[in-house]
Short mmCIF file of all heavy atoms in Angstrom, two decimals:
data_model
loop_
_atom_site.label_atom_id
_atom_site.label_comp_id
_atom_site.label_asym_id
_atom_site.label_seq_id
_atom_site.Cartn_x
_atom_site.Cartn_y
_atom_site.Cartn_z
N SER A 1 4.55 -2.59 -5.94
CA SER A 1 5.08 -3.62 -6.90
C SER A 1 4.32 -4.94 -6.80
O SER A 1 4.32 -5.75 -7.68
CB SER A 1 6.57 -3.84 -6.67
OG SER A 1 6.80 -4.43 -5.39
N LYS A 2 3.63 -5.15 -5.64
CA LYS A 2 2.87 -6.39 -5.42
C LYS A 2 1.45 -6.26 -5.92
O LYS A 2 0.74 -7.28 -6.05
CB LYS A 2 2.82 -6.70 -3.91
CG LYS A 2 4.21 -7.08 -3.37
CD LYS A 2 4.03 -7.44 -1.93
CE LYS A 2 5.36 -7.81 -1.31
NZ LYS A 2 5.29 -8.14 0.12
N GLN A 3 0.99 -5.04 -6.27
CA GLN A 3 -0.45 -4.87 -6.64
C GLN A 3 -0.88 -5.70 -7.83
O GLN A 3 -1.89 -6.34 -7.73
CB GLN A 3 -0.69 -3.34 -6.91
CG GLN A 3 -0.60 -2.40 -5.69
CD GLN A 3 -1.55 -2.82 -4.58
OE1 GLN A 3 -2.54 -3.50 -4.75
NE2 GLN A 3 -1.25 -2.46 -3.39
N PRO A 4 -0.15 -5.73 -8.96
CA PRO A 4 -0.63 -6.48 -10.07
C PRO A 4 -0.77 -7.98 -9.71
O PRO A 4 -1.69 -8.65 -10.10
CB PRO A 4 0.44 -6.29 -11.12
CG PRO A 4 1.04 -4.97 -10.82
CD PRO A 4 0.99 -4.91 -9.32
N HIS A 5 0.22 -8.45 -8.92
CA HIS A 5 0.11 -9.84 -8.41
C HIS A 5 -1.13 -10.11 -7.56
O HIS A 5 -1.80 -11.10 -7.70
CB HIS A 5 1.41 -10.25 -7.67
CG HIS A 5 1.31 -11.55 -6.99
ND1 HIS A 5 1.35 -12.73 -7.70
CD2 HIS A 5 1.20 -11.90 -5.71
CE1 HIS A 5 1.25 -13.75 -6.89
NE2 HIS A 5 1.17 -13.26 -5.62
N ILE A 6 -1.40 -9.16 -6.68
CA ILE A 6 -2.56 -9.35 -5.82
C ILE A 6 -3.88 -9.24 -6.60
O ILE A 6 -4.79 -9.97 -6.27
CB ILE A 6 -2.49 -8.30 -4.68
CG1 ILE A 6 -1.27 -8.63 -3.68
CG2 ILE A 6 -3.77 -8.28 -3.85
CD1 ILE A 6 -1.00 -7.60 -2.66
N PHE A 7 -3.89 -8.37 -7.55
CA PHE A 7 -5.17 -8.28 -8.40
C PHE A 7 -5.37 -9.61 -9.15
O PHE A 7 -6.47 -10.07 -9.25
CB PHE A 7 -5.05 -7.10 -9.39
CG PHE A 7 -5.16 -5.76 -8.74
CD1 PHE A 7 -4.37 -4.70 -9.13
CD2 PHE A 7 -6.10 -5.53 -7.64
CE1 PHE A 7 -4.52 -3.45 -8.53
CE2 PHE A 7 -6.19 -4.30 -7.11
CZ PHE A 7 -5.37 -3.23 -7.51
N ALA A 8 -4.26 -10.20 -9.64
CA ALA A 8 -4.35 -11.45 -10.34
C ALA A 8 -4.79 -12.57 -9.38
O ALA A 8 -5.56 -13.42 -9.68
CB ALA A 8 -3.00 -11.81 -10.96
N GLU A 9 -4.28 -12.53 -8.14
CA GLU A 9 -4.64 -13.48 -7.12
C GLU A 9 -6.16 -13.36 -6.77
O GLU A 9 -6.84 -14.37 -6.63
CB GLU A 9 -3.79 -13.31 -5.84
CG GLU A 9 -3.99 -14.42 -4.86
CD GLU A 9 -3.01 -14.32 -3.68
OE1 GLU A 9 -2.01 -13.62 -3.82
OE2 GLU A 9 -3.34 -14.91 -2.64
N LEU A 10 -6.57 -12.10 -6.69
CA LEU A 10 -8.03 -11.88 -6.36
C LEU A 10 -8.92 -12.43 -7.55
O LEU A 10 -9.86 -13.08 -7.34
CB LEU A 10 -8.32 -10.41 -6.21
CG LEU A 10 -8.18 -9.84 -4.77
CD1 LEU A 10 -8.19 -8.33 -4.83
CD2 LEU A 10 -9.29 -10.35 -3.88
N ASP A 11 -8.47 -12.17 -8.76
CA ASP A 11 -9.25 -12.65 -9.94
C ASP A 11 -9.23 -14.21 -9.87
O ASP A 11 -10.27 -14.85 -10.19
CB ASP A 11 -8.56 -12.13 -11.15
CG ASP A 11 -9.46 -12.30 -12.40
OD1 ASP A 11 -10.66 -11.87 -12.33
OD2 ASP A 11 -8.98 -12.85 -13.40
N ASN A 12 -8.15 -14.84 -9.59
CA ASN A 12 -8.01 -16.23 -9.50
C ASN A 12 -8.90 -16.79 -8.41
O ASN A 12 -9.60 -17.79 -8.61
CB ASN A 12 -6.56 -16.70 -9.22
CG ASN A 12 -6.39 -18.21 -9.29
OD1 ASN A 12 -6.93 -18.85 -10.18
ND2 ASN A 12 -5.63 -18.71 -8.36
N LEU A 13 -8.99 -16.18 -7.24
CA LEU A 13 -9.83 -16.62 -6.19
C LEU A 13 -11.32 -16.52 -6.63
O LEU A 13 -12.13 -17.42 -6.27
CB LEU A 13 -9.65 -15.71 -4.95
CG LEU A 13 -8.47 -16.05 -4.05
CD1 LEU A 13 -8.24 -14.98 -3.03
CD2 LEU A 13 -8.70 -17.44 -3.35
N MET A 14 -11.71 -15.48 -7.34
CA MET A 14 -13.05 -15.33 -7.81
C MET A 14 -13.42 -16.46 -8.80
O MET A 14 -14.58 -16.91 -8.81
CB MET A 14 -13.28 -13.95 -8.40
CG MET A 14 -13.32 -12.87 -7.32
SD MET A 14 -13.80 -11.28 -7.87
CE MET A 14 -12.26 -10.69 -8.53
N THR A 15 -12.48 -16.84 -9.63
CA THR A 15 -12.76 -17.91 -10.62
C THR A 15 -12.96 -19.25 -9.79
O THR A 15 -13.86 -20.02 -10.08
CB THR A 15 -11.58 -18.08 -11.53
OG1 THR A 15 -11.44 -16.88 -12.33
CG2 THR A 15 -11.81 -19.24 -12.54
N LYS A 16 -12.07 -19.53 -8.85
CA LYS A 16 -12.20 -20.72 -7.99
C LYS A 16 -13.56 -20.69 -7.24
O LYS A 16 -14.20 -21.71 -7.10
CB LYS A 16 -11.05 -20.80 -6.99
CG LYS A 16 -9.77 -21.22 -7.64
CD LYS A 16 -8.67 -21.27 -6.62
CE LYS A 16 -7.31 -21.62 -7.22
NZ LYS A 16 -6.24 -21.63 -6.20
N LEU A 17 -13.98 -19.53 -6.80
CA LEU A 17 -15.21 -19.31 -6.03
C LEU A 17 -16.39 -19.69 -6.92
O LEU A 17 -17.33 -20.36 -6.54
CB LEU A 17 -15.33 -17.95 -5.56
CG LEU A 17 -16.55 -17.51 -4.67
CD1 LEU A 17 -16.72 -18.45 -3.54
CD2 LEU A 17 -16.44 -16.08 -4.30
N GLU A 18 -16.40 -19.24 -8.17
CA GLU A 18 -17.46 -19.50 -9.10
C GLU A 18 -17.52 -21.06 -9.33
O GLU A 18 -18.61 -21.60 -9.36
CB GLU A 18 -17.20 -18.82 -10.43
CG GLU A 18 -17.48 -17.34 -10.37
CD GLU A 18 -17.07 -16.60 -11.68
OE1 GLU A 18 -16.87 -17.27 -12.69
OE2 GLU A 18 -16.96 -15.39 -11.58
N ASP A 19 -16.39 -21.62 -9.51
CA ASP A 19 -16.33 -23.12 -9.74
C ASP A 19 -16.90 -23.89 -8.49
O ASP A 19 -17.70 -24.79 -8.66
CB ASP A 19 -14.94 -23.59 -10.02
CG ASP A 19 -14.47 -23.06 -11.38
OD1 ASP A 19 -15.25 -22.68 -12.25
OD2 ASP A 19 -13.19 -23.13 -11.60
N ALA A 20 -16.51 -23.46 -7.31
CA ALA A 20 -16.98 -24.11 -6.14
C ALA A 20 -18.46 -23.94 -5.95
O ALA A 20 -19.15 -24.90 -5.50
CB ALA A 20 -16.18 -23.60 -4.91
N PHE A 21 -18.92 -22.78 -6.26
CA PHE A 21 -20.35 -22.53 -6.14
C PHE A 21 -21.15 -23.37 -7.10
O PHE A 21 -22.15 -24.02 -6.74
CB PHE A 21 -20.67 -21.02 -6.37
CG PHE A 21 -22.09 -20.61 -5.98
CD1 PHE A 21 -22.30 -20.21 -4.72
CD2 PHE A 21 -23.14 -20.76 -6.80
CE1 PHE A 21 -23.57 -19.87 -4.25
CE2 PHE A 21 -24.42 -20.46 -6.45
CZ PHE A 21 -24.65 -19.96 -5.12
N GLN A 22 -20.71 -23.54 -8.34
CA GLN A 22 -21.37 -24.34 -9.33
C GLN A 22 -21.36 -25.80 -8.95
O GLN A 22 -22.31 -26.55 -9.17
CB GLN A 22 -20.73 -24.15 -10.70
CG GLN A 22 -20.90 -22.77 -11.31
CD GLN A 22 -22.43 -22.43 -11.44
OE1 GLN A 22 -23.23 -23.22 -11.81
NE2 GLN A 22 -22.68 -21.20 -11.15
N GLN A 23 -20.30 -26.24 -8.22
CA GLN A 23 -20.19 -27.66 -7.71
C GLN A 23 -20.91 -27.78 -6.44
O GLN A 23 -20.94 -28.92 -5.91
CB GLN A 23 -18.73 -28.01 -7.63
CG GLN A 23 -17.98 -28.05 -8.92
CD GLN A 23 -16.51 -28.24 -8.78
OE1 GLN A 23 -16.01 -28.49 -7.68
NE2 GLN A 23 -15.73 -28.15 -9.85
N GLN A 24 -21.46 -26.75 -5.87
CA GLN A 24 -22.14 -26.77 -4.60
C GLN A 24 -21.27 -27.30 -3.48
O GLN A 24 -21.76 -28.03 -2.59
CB GLN A 24 -23.48 -27.53 -4.71
CG GLN A 24 -24.42 -26.86 -5.71
CD GLN A 24 -25.78 -27.56 -5.82
OE1 GLN A 24 -26.12 -28.39 -5.05
NE2 GLN A 24 -26.54 -27.14 -6.81
N ASP A 25 -20.00 -26.91 -3.53
CA ASP A 25 -19.09 -27.33 -2.49
C ASP A 25 -19.10 -26.16 -1.47
O ASP A 25 -18.26 -25.22 -1.50
CB ASP A 25 -17.68 -27.47 -3.04
CG ASP A 25 -16.68 -27.94 -2.06
OD1 ASP A 25 -16.94 -27.92 -0.84
OD2 ASP A 25 -15.52 -28.35 -2.48
N TRP A 26 -20.02 -26.15 -0.57
CA TRP A 26 -20.31 -25.07 0.33
C TRP A 26 -19.18 -24.68 1.27
O TRP A 26 -18.96 -23.54 1.60
CB TRP A 26 -21.66 -25.24 1.05
CG TRP A 26 -22.73 -25.56 0.08
CD1 TRP A 26 -23.55 -26.63 0.16
CD2 TRP A 26 -23.15 -24.77 -1.08
NE1 TRP A 26 -24.47 -26.58 -0.94
CE2 TRP A 26 -24.20 -25.45 -1.69
CE3 TRP A 26 -22.70 -23.60 -1.64
CZ2 TRP A 26 -24.83 -24.93 -2.80
CZ3 TRP A 26 -23.31 -23.14 -2.76
CH2 TRP A 26 -24.40 -23.80 -3.37
N GLU A 27 -18.42 -25.68 1.73
CA GLU A 27 -17.33 -25.47 2.56
C GLU A 27 -16.21 -24.68 1.84
O GLU A 27 -15.61 -23.74 2.39
CB GLU A 27 -16.71 -26.71 3.20
CG GLU A 27 -17.65 -27.36 4.22
CD GLU A 27 -17.07 -28.64 4.80
OE1 GLU A 27 -15.86 -28.90 4.63
OE2 GLU A 27 -17.86 -29.40 5.40
N GLN A 28 -15.98 -25.05 0.60
CA GLN A 28 -15.03 -24.40 -0.27
C GLN A 28 -15.49 -22.98 -0.57
O GLN A 28 -14.70 -22.02 -0.57
CB GLN A 28 -14.79 -25.23 -1.53
CG GLN A 28 -13.70 -24.67 -2.40
CD GLN A 28 -12.26 -24.87 -1.83
OE1 GLN A 28 -12.09 -25.44 -0.78
NE2 GLN A 28 -11.31 -24.31 -2.51
N VAL A 29 -16.78 -22.83 -0.83
CA VAL A 29 -17.32 -21.51 -1.14
C VAL A 29 -17.06 -20.56 0.03
O VAL A 29 -16.62 -19.46 -0.11
CB VAL A 29 -18.85 -21.57 -1.51
CG1 VAL A 29 -19.45 -20.18 -1.41
CG2 VAL A 29 -19.06 -22.26 -2.79
N GLU A 30 -17.36 -21.08 1.24
CA GLU A 30 -17.18 -20.24 2.45
C GLU A 30 -15.71 -19.85 2.63
O GLU A 30 -15.37 -18.67 2.91
CB GLU A 30 -17.67 -20.94 3.66
CG GLU A 30 -17.68 -20.13 4.90
CD GLU A 30 -18.27 -20.87 6.15
OE1 GLU A 30 -18.84 -21.91 5.99
OE2 GLU A 30 -18.10 -20.35 7.25
N SER A 31 -14.91 -20.82 2.44
CA SER A 31 -13.41 -20.55 2.61
C SER A 31 -12.90 -19.58 1.57
O SER A 31 -12.17 -18.64 1.90
CB SER A 31 -12.67 -21.88 2.46
OG SER A 31 -11.29 -21.69 2.45
N LEU A 32 -13.30 -19.74 0.34
CA LEU A 32 -12.91 -18.85 -0.73
C LEU A 32 -13.44 -17.41 -0.56
O LEU A 32 -12.79 -16.44 -0.87
CB LEU A 32 -13.22 -19.46 -2.07
CG LEU A 32 -12.39 -20.64 -2.51
CD1 LEU A 32 -13.05 -21.34 -3.69
CD2 LEU A 32 -10.98 -20.21 -2.80
N LEU A 33 -14.70 -17.35 -0.13
CA LEU A 33 -15.27 -16.03 0.12
C LEU A 33 -14.50 -15.30 1.22
O LEU A 33 -14.22 -14.11 1.12
CB LEU A 33 -16.77 -16.19 0.57
CG LEU A 33 -17.82 -16.03 -0.51
CD1 LEU A 33 -19.18 -16.39 0.13
CD2 LEU A 33 -17.77 -14.73 -1.20
#
């Protein structure tokens, strides 16, 4: 029952990761990865 929520959370993390990478916020990139 948690799977759809976790998939959405993974997708959200990937979006945040892309943003952090574009902003060259390397500490945030490492944390999000």
Side-chain angles (χ1 to χ4, degrees):
S1 64
K2 294 182 180 180
Q3 293 302 336
H5 171 71
I6 292 173
F7 290 140
E9 188 175 340
L10 272 167
D11 195 52
N12 185 42
L13 279 171
M14 287 188 279
T15 300
K16 288 179 181 179
L17 180 56
E18 288 172 15
D19 292 343
F21 194 90
Q22 292 303 320
Q23 295 172 6
Q24 298 182 11
D25 183 349
W26 306 125
E27 289 180 17
Q28 185 72 2
V29 167
E30 184 176 351
S31 173
L32 289 167
L33 267 174

